[in-house]
Amino acid sequence: MFNIFKTSPLLEPESAEWIYDTFAWALSQFDSDEFFQRSRLIQPSNEFFPGRVDSVHTKAETIFQHSLNYSGLKHWPFQLVEPQNFLQQLPPSVDNINLARNSTLDNTLPAVQASSPLQVSYNPQQTLKPEDLSSSFAHALAQYLAMQATEAAPGGGEYFAEATEVLGIFMGFGVMFANSAYTFRGSCGRCYNGAANRQATLSEDEVIFALALYCRLKNISTKDATRFLKSHLKSSFKKASKQIDQQPEQLQRLFKFQA
């Protein structure tokens, strides 16, 4: 009779298990030292995204460069291309690949060589919503990174978009992904700009769970984690944290990657 007082989990066990598995895959493939020692929880603030801009492309370039630095991939040959100059094509081959990452300002990792620049573009409408734009950039960077993995992500090619969104959260962009996972239309249809929204592949709850897992592994307090979260997501974050703490064996499996 007392079951009515128990809090239901945020995610079904199968979905939570997949996110744990995807974190384990990321830790095994993409530099666990970067994750545990250097990666930071990126926040939508001037502290993380400083700079003055005078054009749409300059704004996109500024957000891209900050996002690239925080991903730990500044030593990769990425190039931001204006939409009208971007040609969708197969990614160029990457040579002398080293999956080490370093998100600090003194990243001195050897430059990764490629047959041509690794091009990333953007939707100009998203410059109106920097969180959506930074998340889109992080997802694109994660996709390039995942293509160099020695093992496929959990779920294989069918779940590539979803797994690389988790990888973006793993790189520290969880708050940005969470705040841009779903956009309310609001009461004024003329104020709504669907073209500015990020095209999410994970549900809001899945993003929040992955964010809570990142924060639990990094020992980031709930107060710091939710400081810039949309208000309606804060209770879900606490619910996810409680579900994670009820599975210590999953946490221990991931902590084993810590040097």
Side-chain angles (χ1 to χ4, degrees):
M1 66 177 291
F2 294 104
N3 287 340
I4 60 174
F5 297 108
K6 290 185 177 180
T7 302
S8 58
L10 183 68
L11 288 188
E12 293 297 322
E14 296 80 7
S15 296
E17 179 75 20
W18 178 80
I19 291 175
Y20 285 123
D21 289 345
T22 305
F23 262 70
W25 165 76
L27 284 166
S28 70
Q29 294 286 311
F30 307 120
D31 196 345
S32 60
D33 284 347
E34 162 66 20
F35 177 84
F36 284 111
Q37 298 177 23
R38 296 183 294 274
S39 72
R40 303 168 64 193
L41 182 62
I42 312 308
Q43 303 281 20
S45 68
N46 287 332
E47 175 190 355
F48 286 90
F49 293 91
R52 301 177 67 87
V53 297
D54 56 10
S55 70
V56 168
H57 184 69
T58 302
K59 186 174 184 179
E61 184 71 50
T62 298
I63 294 173
F64 177 71
Q65 289 301 327
H66 287 308
S67 302
L68 180 59
N69 290 343
Y70 298 138
S71 73
L73 299 173
K74 187 178 179 179
H75 58 296
W76 284 45
F78 284 107
Q79 178 185 52
L80 185 66
V81 180
E82 293 182 89
Q84 65 270 23
N85 297 325
F86 180 70
L87 297 176
Q88 193 71 40
Q89 56 189 357
L90 291 174
S93 59
V94 177
D95 303 322
N96 71 313
I97 189 65
N98 183 341
L99 295 180
R101 296 182 298 121
N102 190 332
S103 57
T104 63
L105 292 176
D106 62 344
N107 182 349
T108 57
L109 290 170
V112 171
Q113 305 298 321
S115 55
S116 60
L118 307 180
Q119 293 190 346
V120 176
S121 193
Y122 60 94
N123 176 354
Q125 295 289 331
Q126 281 192 351
T127 59
L128 301 172
K129 302 177 71 175
E131 285 181 286
D132 291 64
L133 184 56
S134 179
S135 301
S136 296
F137 284 150
H139 196 186
L141 297 173
Q143 290 177 337
Y144 272 113
L145 182 62
M147 284 187 283
Q148 307 304 322
T150 59
E151 295 180 9
E158 184 179 352
Y159 288 92
F160 181 79
E162 291 85 350
T164 49
E165 193 165 321
V166 172
L167 182 55
I169 297 167
F170 170 87
M171 293 193 296
F173 294 88
V175 172
M176 318 292 280
F177 275 95
N179 284 343
S180 61
Y182 178 77
T183 302
F184 293 103
R185 182 178 293 272
S187 59
C188 175
R190 288 177 298 176
C191 301
Y192 178 77
N193 184 356
N197 298 338
R198 178 175 70 84
Q199 299 302 307
T201 55
L202 296 177
S203 70
E204 215 172 44
D205 285 348
E206 288 168 333
V207 173
I208 286 292
F209 189 90
L211 169 61
L213 181 57
Y214 175 93
C215 293
R216 181 64 180 82
L217 291 171
K218 296 281 293 178
N219 197 28
I220 296 171
S221 70
T222 297
K223 180 180 179 181
D224 289 338
T226 61
R227 184 166 41 136
F228 291 99
L229 269 184
K230 289 180 177 178
S231 57
H232 75 280
L233 298 175
K234 295 182 179 182
S235 60
S236 296
F237 181 91
K238 294 176 182 178
K239 196 172 184 179
S241 298
K242 183 175 293 186
Q243 181 177 351
I244 289 166
D245 285 338
Q246 290 172 347
Q247 295 183 292
E249 72 285 353
Q250 293 283 16
L251 286 172
Q252 188 57 39
R253 173 165 71 111
L254 298 178
F255 275 125
K256 286 181 179 179
F257 289 98
Q258 190 171 15

